[in-house]
Every structure is written in structure tokens, then in C-alpha cells.
């Protein structure tokens, strides 16, 4: 007897045949893709680069050497993620962190007259008010607050009455630098906030080379610049020192007086502690500036060159240290 085919079964079989072919084809393709030559990208952990801090110490007129240090670092592709400065270090550091190039810094250092920075007053608190310095910095940084700088910045000062360290990382840049540069008995200590806040004096009283502050702010690598080291080339001393100032008109030399002033404020144990803190830096750059004055443009250029000469021999070590630190951070993930 003739049996009519089931149309549903026929349709199912027709559909099944190409489906089996597709499955087989996909299986073969999958097998071909298995093996060491796979093109699928392996996910790699994202590792942040180590945070590099540049610490610029106090030292008054000798601080022009900071510009030379910055110049060499930038030429070698080393730009810090954090700049911490005390006294003259805060002045140079604020401009650098705000976006100034080494060439622009050198121009400012070489051409800024004392009259733009000094405002003499008659007061029993000091004889420089410091308002000109504050306004100078704020004009140079375009009126921006510290937190708006492209490079993170911190200015170090000390509370006048308690000598407690203060770290300014936000707010009025000019006011922070004014506080950090306010040498006791020479500059009138500014209040922060203005008019109602506490009074602050030169940060060198408590932290001349503020390495510890950089560590506290999260730095993985600290490059510190100390311009207060004794002269190591005494044979050239007499030929490079200019005649002593006969007036109180030099802002830079007045700022340099913070060293002797700080010695009056600091006990032996405090000075020893500051020295130990400096040693916590990974790289310490010590420009040989003890024999150089800064009362004219030529001498300022010599100070900048001293910074260049002190930094250049350490560039390879700095690059290697950054590389090793990067590898170390990767290995810990």
C-alpha cells in the first residue's frame, strides 16, 4: 500500500541538513583558532606611572639654581607630578607648576627687579609687607588658585606662634608663596585666611627641604634639591663673591637671610630632624652655589648653570630609578 510521506517530517529533514553543515563548519573553525597563535588580545592590567615629586628647598638667592635643575629634567623628559617648595623653592615651584617652561623661568629669574617684590614699611613686625610678592605671583600665574595648576603644587610655611608646619595645596597661590617666603623679623607674617586667619612665617623654619611633605602627599619617587650645602670649591671663593650689600634693597639677599634666621628659631635637635628628613629623598641634587652671589644678572646665570651642572650627572640614575619603580609597581599587581 502506498504511504504518503509526512510533509512535516520532510520539511524538518530539509532544515536539519544545512543546520548540521553549519554546526560542523563552526566547530572546525573553532578548532583551527585554538592554539598558541591565537589572535585574541590578552587583557593586561593598567598600571599607573609612579608619582614623581620635585622638592625645591629654601635658600634665598641660591634658589636660582632650581631653574637649572628643572631645565635639565625637562630636557630629558622628566616632568614631576608634584612640586613641593619652601621659601624661594615655593616661589620658583609655583611658577613651574603653573605651566612656566624652563626658558620662561630663566627669563623671570634674570629680569625681575627687586622693586617688583619689595614693599618697605615701618613696623615692629618687620620691614617688608609682602603684598607685592603676593601680587607678583598671582599676576604671573594668571590669578589661578593652586588647585587649578597643571602640576600639583604645595607651598610649605610655619605657624608663627606654634612653629607647626603648614602645607598649602589649595587656595590663593600668591598668599601661600608670601607665607612660605616670610623670613621672621624681615617680612610681616601674613594671615591665612587674610585678616582673620593665623599668621605664617618662612617654611624653612620647620622644613628647609620638605621631603617628608612630598611623601605625605603620595609621592613614590622624590627628587630633592638642596641649595644650602657648604661650598665645596673654596679656591674660587674670592673671585666670585660680589661686594656686600650696602642697603636693604635686595629682595633675594633678604630672602637668603632665612638661613641664619632659621638657626635662631631651630634647636639642635630640630635641625638634626630636618636633615634626617632630607635624607628620605630618593635623589638629592646639591648645586655647588656656596661661592656664587646673585646681585646681578650674570651671577644669577651662574646659579642657574650650577643647577644644570649638578643635575646632568644624575639624569641616568633618575631615569633608571623611575624605570625600576615602575616595574616594581607592576610586579605587585
Amino acid at each position: 500500500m502506498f504511504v504518503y510521506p509526512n510533509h512535516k517530517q520532510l520539511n524538518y529533514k530539509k532544515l536539519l541538513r544545512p543546520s548540521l553543515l553549519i554546526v560542523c563548519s563552526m566547530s572546525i573553525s573553532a578548532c583551527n583558532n585554538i592554539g598558541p597563535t591565537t589572535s585574541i588580545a590578552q587583557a593586561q592590567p593598567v598600571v599607573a606611572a609612579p608619582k614623581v615629586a620635585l622638592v625645591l628647598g629654601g635658600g634665598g638667592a641660591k634658589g636660582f639654581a632650581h631653574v637649572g635643575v628643572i631645565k635639565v629634567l625637562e630636557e630629558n623628559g622628566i616632568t614631576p607630578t608634584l612640586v613641593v617648595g619652601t621659601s624661594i623653592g615655593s616661589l620658583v615651584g609655583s611658577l613651574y607648576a603653573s605651566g612656566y617652561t624652563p626658558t620662561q623661568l630663566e627669563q623671570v629669574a634674570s629680569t625681575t627687579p627687586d622693586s617688583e617684590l619689595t614693599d618697605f614699611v615701618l613696623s615692629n613686625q618687620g620691614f617688608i609687607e609682602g603684598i607685592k610678592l603676593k601680587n607678583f605671583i598671582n599676576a604671573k600665574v594668571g590669578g589661578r588658585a593652586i588647585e587649578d595648576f597643571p602640576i600639583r603644587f604645595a607651598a610649605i610655611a610655619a605657624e608663627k606662634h606654634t612653629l607647626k608646619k603648614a602645607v598649602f595645596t589649595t587656595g590663593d597661590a600668591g598668599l601661600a608663596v608670601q607665607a612660605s617666603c616670610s623670613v621672621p623679623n624681615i617680612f610681616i607674617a601674613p594671615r591665612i585666611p587674610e585678616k582673620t586667619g593665623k599668621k605664617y612665617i618662612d617654611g624653612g623654619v620647620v622644613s628647609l627641604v620638605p621631603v617628608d611633605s612630598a611623601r605625605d602627599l603620595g609621592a613614590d619617587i622624590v627628587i630633592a634639591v638642596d641649595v644650602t650645602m657648604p661650598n665645596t670649591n673654596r679656591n674660587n671663593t674670592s673671585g666670585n663673591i660680589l661686594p656686600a650689600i650696602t642697603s636693604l634693597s635686595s629682595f633675594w639677599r633678604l630672602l637668603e637671610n632665612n638661613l641664619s634666621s632659621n638657626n635662631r628659631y631651630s634647636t639642635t635637635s630640630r635641625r638634626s630632624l630636618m636633615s634626617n628628613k632630607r635624607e628620605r629623598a630618593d635623589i638629592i641634587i646639591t648645586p655647588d652655589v656656596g661661592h656664587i652671589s646673585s646681585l646681578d644678572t650674570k651671577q644669577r646665570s651662574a646659579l642657574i648653570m650650577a643647577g644644570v651642572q649638578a643635575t646632568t650627572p644624575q639624569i641616568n640614575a633618575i631615569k633608571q630609578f623611575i624605570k625600576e619603580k615602575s616595574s616594581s609597581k607592576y610586579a605587585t599587581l
Side-chain angles (χ1 to χ4, degrees), residues 183-207:
V183 179
N185 303 317
I186 296 177
F187 289 76
I188 296 176
R191 293 182 183 272
I192 302 178
E194 290 184 286
K195 297 183 180 180
T196 60
K198 296 178 180 178
K199 291 184 175 183
Y200 292 91
I201 59 175
D202 193 301
V205 171
V206 292
S207 191

Side-chain angles (χ1 to χ4, degrees), residues 121-195:
V121 294
L122 294 176
S123 171
N124 58 6
Q125 300 178 55
F127 51 84
I128 294 181
E129 190 170 13
I131 302 300
K132 275 194 173 183
L133 171 59
K134 179 187 72 173
N135 293 340
F136 173 83
I137 294 296
N138 282 333
K140 292 296 182 183
V141 304
R144 287 172 294 168
I146 293 173
E147 59 268 29
D148 295 327
F149 289 176
I151 299 177
R152 193 180 179 197
F153 173 68
I156 308 302
E159 291 184 17
K160 181 177 181 179
H161 300 296
T162 64
L163 296 186
K164 181 180 179 181
K165 182 176 68 174
V167 182
F168 295 106
T169 57
T170 60
D172 188 316
L175 185 58
V177 172
Q178 178 190 357
S180 185
C181 293
S182 290
V183 179
N185 303 317
I186 296 177
F187 289 76
I188 296 176
R191 293 182 183 272
I192 302 178
E194 290 184 286
K195 297 183 180 180

Side-chain angles (χ1 to χ4, degrees), residues 41-103:
Q42 298 294 324
Q44 295 291 340
V46 178
V47 183
K51 297 176 182 177
V52 179
L54 177 62
V55 174
L56 305 177
K62 310 304 182 186
F64 286 109
H66 292 321
V67 177
V69 174
I70 292 169
K71 181 177 181 179
V72 175
L73 293 177
E74 285 283 348
E75 287 174 349
N76 286 274
I78 301 171
T79 299
T81 53
L82 169 67
V83 177
V84 183
T86 288
S87 196
I88 185 65
S90 75
L91 192 158
V92 174
S94 67
L95 298 180
Y96 177 47
S98 75
Y100 275 61
T101 66
T103 300

Side-chain angles (χ1 to χ4, degrees), residues 201-250:
I201 59 175
D202 193 301
V205 171
V206 292
S207 191
L208 194 58
V209 185
V211 172
D212 54 328
S213 297
R215 295 290 187 196
D216 293 341
L217 291 170
D220 298 308
I221 299 172
V222 176
I223 303 170
V225 186
D226 186 352
V227 295
T228 67
M229 297 301 288
N231 172 36
T232 58
N233 188 7
R234 298 184 183 279
N235 292 333
N236 295 330
T237 299
S238 59
N240 287 312
I241 290 183
L242 296 179
I245 308 177
T246 57
S247 70
L248 296 175
S249 62
S250 173

Side-chain angles (χ1 to χ4, degrees), residues 61-69 71 105-111 240 242 287-289 291-309:
K62 310 304 182 186
F64 286 109
H66 292 321
V67 177
V69 174
K71 181 177 181 179
L105 288 174
E106 191 166 2
Q107 179 72 12
V108 171
S110 301
T111 62
N240 287 312
L242 296 179
D288 185 13
V289 295
H291 61 291
I292 305 175
S293 180
S294 60
L295 300 185
D296 61 20
T297 301
K298 182 179 179 180
Q299 293 300 305
R300 294 179 189 182
S301 297
L303 287 163
I304 293 170
M305 181 54 63
V308 169
Q309 293 171 342

